Amino acid sequence: MTQPTYGFYTPLSTEIILPIVKINCQEGRVWRVDRSQTPSGAWESTEIDITHCFKFVPDFTCLELGFIRFGDPGVDFQMWSFEAWVTANRPRKPPESYRFGFRLPILLAKECRQEEDDVRYLSATSSSVVEAISAQFAEYQKQAEDKGNSTMLPLISLGKMEKKTRGQFRNFEPVFVAERWIERPSIFDEKLFQTPESFAGDTQTSDEDLPF
């Protein structure tokens, strides 16, 4: 007999949490954080430098804005979809110990991915990264308005990490370049909205299925 399901939240296994990409503005580097399971069953993270080849498709249809806190015991996100953020007129001043930032699903290109269909999260509170992504999002909004099609996404590459001074601080800032526009890859839906059970199946596509 099938047991009824109550409530609205079922904790996911750590095995199916999407990995991340980190941009370090102090060092001027971009890291792909890969996760692997040890023979004992524990999960470990390994940072791979992809600064020289960082290229990705951002899923701006799932852009989130809000407040992020980095610290012990980990990262805490208080996020809203872009539409909810604008509609609710969320304040830019974050709660104590939080900073304004974004979280964005991205699909890594062949040049820098770990495997096929490598969907990850990119998030940041650094003003230089926030501004760089905001500028790309603005171009996406213009494209959607002009063409009446919000399913076209940019293929973005990291042109360079440029050293700049902001106030008393001198850090590297990412310079992103939109190379071309492509249809939103369906793998975003498969990775972002699937249930734990669906991870057991083979959802990868061949290289020929990817438009970049």
Side-chain angles (χ1 to χ4, degrees):
M1 179 178 178
T2 302
Q3 294 295 321
T5 300
Y6 300 106
F8 59 87
Y9 175 71
T10 301
L12 300 181
S13 164
T14 55
E15 179 181 355
I16 61 176
I17 296 175
L18 286 180
I20 64 172
V21 168
K22 299 195 303 184
I23 299 179
N24 188 317
C25 292
Q26 291 183 326
E27 299 180 13
R29 315 303 295 176
V30 180
W31 306 95
R32 189 188 75 210
V33 183
D34 297 343
R35 300 174 68 251
S36 59
Q37 195 169 23
T38 65
S40 65
W43 286 89
E44 295 182 339
S45 297
T46 304
E47 295 185 348
I48 307 297
D49 191 338
I50 58 172
T51 309
H52 65 290
C53 59
F54 186 36
K55 185 183 294 188
F56 63 98
V57 176
D59 187 6
F60 283 133
T61 67
C62 292
L63 172 67
E64 295 177 296
L65 302 177
F67 306 122
I68 306 174
R69 183 188 67 192
F70 297 94
D72 191 22
V75 183
D76 183 42
F77 294 92
Q78 296 186 11
M79 312 301 287
W80 294 264
S81 69
F82 174 76
E83 292 78 11
W85 179 271
V86 172
T87 301
N89 193 25
R90 297 289 178 182
R92 288 294 299 271
K93 183 178 180 181
E96 185 178 357
S97 73
Y98 286 78
R99 296 181 62 186
F100 173 78
F102 70 87
R103 180 167 59 184
L104 177 67
I106 63 174
L107 174 62
L108 293 182
K110 300 173 185 177
E111 293 87 341
C112 60
R113 70 188 184 190
Q114 180 186 20
E115 58 188 5
E116 292 182 13
D117 301 336
D118 197 346
V119 175
R120 297 171 179 252
Y121 274 118
L122 173 65
S123 62
T125 58
S126 167
S127 57
S128 60
V129 181
V130 170
E131 290 175 11
I133 291 296
S134 177
Q136 295 299 321
F137 181 63
E139 292 302 315
Y140 161 77
Q141 290 177 299
K142 295 175 185 177
Q143 163 85 9
E145 184 176 336
D146 293 342
K147 302 293 180 63
N149 184 358
S150 61
T151 64
M152 296 296 291
L153 299 175
L155 173 61
I156 296 175
S157 61
L158 177 63
K160 60 181 177 179
M161 293 293 286
E162 187 174 28
K163 202 159 193 179
K164 289 187 176 182
T165 300
R166 288 179 181 245
Q168 300 178 348
F169 302 97
R170 185 169 176 80
N171 289 318
F172 291 92
E173 300 188 2
V175 178
F176 291 125
V177 179
E179 297 188 355
R180 56 192 173 92
W181 295 82
I182 64 173
E183 281 286 343
R184 180 177 180 270
S186 61
I187 190 61
F188 278 123
D189 290 333
E190 296 177 28
K191 288 293 184 76
L192 294 173
F193 305 117
Q194 59 189 322
T195 62
E197 291 77 10
S198 64
F199 274 81
D202 181 8
T203 60
Q204 290 189 342
T205 58
S206 65
D207 284 354
E208 287 72 21
D209 293 327
L210 296 176
F212 59 89

